Amino acid sequence: MKWNPPPSRHRSRRLRKKLRIGEFREWGFRVDVELHRPLAFEEQNALLSALLDESIEARGLAYGGSVGGGFVSRWGRGSATEDDREAVSAWLSAREEVKAVTAGPLRDAWHDGPHYA
């Protein structure tokens, strides 16, 4: 279910920043990963660690999810970009364990409903 703050209210800049709305809206994207075969626990950990080290943290991003997919946003304040979306997708596509990658469009990281549904 999508939650948005009540519309048509005048809010101060400080409150808009706290609510992450208006000019302070932050963007992220969903990533879905299909593997060639089920991975053993150690293989999953190795793939996830490599993803975090080489792609996510290297670009100043944060990742919530598992090997099968999750949500990517900027670490701290700020937004993920189209370049981030393309880079994460390309990194995952280059892995031999990965059969297919779907990187969703940029969307509001705070108010667009559940990201893991």
Side-chain angles (χ1 to χ4, degrees):
M1 181 162 166
K2 186 174 177 179
W3 178 88
N4 281 320
S8 69
R9 283 182 70 185
H10 177 72
R11 291 188 171 88
S12 67
R13 178 179 166 82
R14 189 178 119 248
L15 188 54
R16 289 192 312 272
K17 185 174 181 180
K18 284 184 177 191
L19 293 174
R20 292 178 168 94
I21 59 175
E23 69 271 32
F24 300 104
R25 183 171 285 171
E26 296 177 355
W27 301 94
F29 59 94
R30 176 143 176 77
V31 176
D32 291 306
V33 180
E34 183 182 345
L35 302 172
H36 285 290
R37 62 177 176 78
L39 299 178
F41 182 74
E42 294 80 17
E43 293 173 310
Q44 288 182 23
N45 280 345
L47 177 59
L48 196 55
S49 290
L51 170 65
L52 294 175
D53 291 342
E54 298 170 16
S55 183
I56 301 295
E57 292 175 357
R59 297 186 69 84
L61 301 173
Y63 181 79
S66 66
V67 173
F71 194 79
V72 180
S73 61
R74 176 71 47 200
W75 182 259
R77 291 262 182 184
S79 294
T81 64
E82 277 295 325
D83 288 341
D84 294 329
R85 193 175 79 78
E86 292 169 8
V88 170
S89 181
W91 188 92
L92 283 164
S93 295
R95 297 291 296 204
E96 65 183 31
E97 306 96 326
V98 176
K99 182 177 181 181
V101 177
T102 305
L106 291 175
R107 61 192 237 183
D108 190 317
W110 289 91
H111 302 294
D112 267 354
H115 300 298
Y116 301 105

